[in-house]
Amino acid sequence: MKKSVFSGKAVAEYAISSPIKILSLLGNAVKPEATGAPASVENLAVSVPAGRIRVKDVKTIEGQVPLPEAEVVVSAGRGMKEPGNWGIVEELAEILGATTACSRPVADSHWRPHHEHVGQTGIAIRPNLYIAIGISGAIQHLAGVNNSKVIVVINKDPEAPFFKAADYGVVGDLFEVVPRLTEAVKKFKAAN
Ligand SMILES: Cc1cc2nc3c(=O)[nH]c(=O)nc-3n(C[C@H](O)[C@H](O)[C@H](O)COP(=O)(O)OP(=O)(O)OC[C@H]3O[C@@H](n4cnc5c(N)ncnc54)[C@H](O)[C@@H]3O)c2cc1C
């Protein structure tokens, strides 16, 4: 099978030679194809021998769909200026039923929790819709998000590299654009 490596810059071919083969796929990694035949899910009773790993603590993130499973992600970067400004991002995410994410410097500065960091060194995601707010679109960020189905970029700099990867782009001040977008979604939802 093929697997993308080096942040999506190359494709490696692998073969599994063991009799039991386990593959895990990211959401949206494979396009569904209509076969016309019914598909069945087989549940296997697997007995796993006790491992040497002990779980000491489990912390569950509540309230949002976990990033790897989210269909809609609203993500923001250093353009937000400071952590106190995140209310407009959270409001947009809430009205869209989206999960929030962020760029690495934002998580490194503790503006947002580390589990929100997406990109080469963070979580790789493939949502149906990725909205990037005040994020420049550095290659290391794109490596984790450029397989999203639809990418919307909001940035005041028309030369921001993210626009090259965007399906839709808004050149403007995020502090004006984001609240207006939230209002537009609210109106749309109320009318439909
Ligand atoms: C080895 C390595 C691994 C890395 N891994 C990752 C990773 O996994 N994920 C990641 O994100 N980064 C990663 N980085 C960092 C990456 O190179 C960039 O530095 C980072 O993504 C930039 O974050 P940013 O876009 O939030 O900030 P910036 O580059 O500072 O961009 C901020 C953007 O906001 C815009 N902006 C500012 N004000 C406004 C406004 N009022 N309205 C609208 N737009 C505005 C600006 O025009 C700018 O484009 C990595 C770097 C290295 C070296």
Side-chain angles (χ1 to χ4, degrees), residues 15 32 47 52 82 92 103 118 134 137 143 150 160 166 188 192:
S47 75
R52 281 182 297 163
E82 53 169 291
L92 177 61
S103 66
V118 288
V150 175
F188 177 82
N192 288 280

Side-chain angles (χ1 to χ4, degrees), residues 13-14 22 29-30 52 75 83-84 88 92 106 123 164 168 170 182 191:
E13 288 191 16
Y14 291 90
I22 297 178
V30 181
R52 281 182 297 163
S75 186
I88 54 170
L92 177 61
V106 161
I123 302 175
K164 290 201 179 90
Y168 300 93
V170 181
T182 306

Side-chain angles (χ1 to χ4, degrees), residues 19 24-25 91 127 176 187:
S24 64
L25 303 176
E91 207 187 338
E176 286 172 25
K187 271 194 196 147

Side-chain angles (χ1 to χ4, degrees), residues 71-83:
E71 294 204 355
V72 182
V73 173
V74 175
S75 186
R78 223 155 30 182
M80 295 299 298
K81 311 277 189 275
E82 53 169 291

